Amino acid sequence: MSGPGEYRDTPLRAYVVTGGRAAAPGARVGVDTLLKTVPPPGGAAEPLPAEAPPQLRALLRLCAGGVLSVAEAAAHLDLPVSAVRVLVGDLVAAGRLRTHAGGLTEPGIDLLKEVLDGLRAL
């Protein structure tokens, strides 16, 4: 809870950070999508444009430390997942981030049978 005189964020912030976009074009980014920075070809990374929001820079720094999921990045940046998904799409389009499908896969029929047998045994 915020006390008197403390800064309180509003829903407008995510709208401003993403430039009013709800999704980045071409990027399919889920909550469990894993993020990793792309090593620059020449050694030194090109700087982000001057108009890039600080949250975009912070996301790039977070991902430089290792593999991070979109949900983890949202928690670190204190932004909604939907806003982080747009920022990730921007960095992927700029060639600065690589995405990998998250760990969630559809279970096979054998696993589903084992779960059902386990539930019946309860």
Side-chain angles (χ1 to χ4, degrees):
M1 292 226 98
S2 297
E6 287 186 38
Y7 173 76
R8 270 194 80 170
D9 203 3
T10 64
L12 178 65
R13 179 175 175 224
Y15 178 84
V16 172
V17 168
T18 62
R21 296 171 295 146
R28 285 194 59 202
V29 179
V31 175
D32 63 337
T33 299
L34 301 176
L35 311 171
K36 180 82 173 132
T37 55
V38 175
E46 288 185 35
L48 292 173
E51 65 273 3
Q55 292 83 0
L56 202 63
R57 297 174 194 284
L59 177 58
L60 203 53
R61 279 193 305 274
L62 278 172
C63 295
V67 177
L68 194 68
S69 74
V70 170
E72 290 171 312
H76 284 292
L77 295 172
D78 197 26
L79 285 172
V81 171
S82 58
V84 173
R85 290 170 65 182
V86 174
L87 296 177
V88 166
D90 291 345
L91 289 172
V92 167
R96 302 296 299 272
L97 270 185
R98 186 175 317 147
T99 60
H100 302 277
L104 299 178
T105 59
E106 289 189 28
I109 192 73
D110 294 333
L111 178 61
L112 292 174
K113 285 180 182 178
E114 287 181 44
V115 170
L116 185 59
D117 292 342
L119 288 172
R120 286 182 178 149
L122 293 175

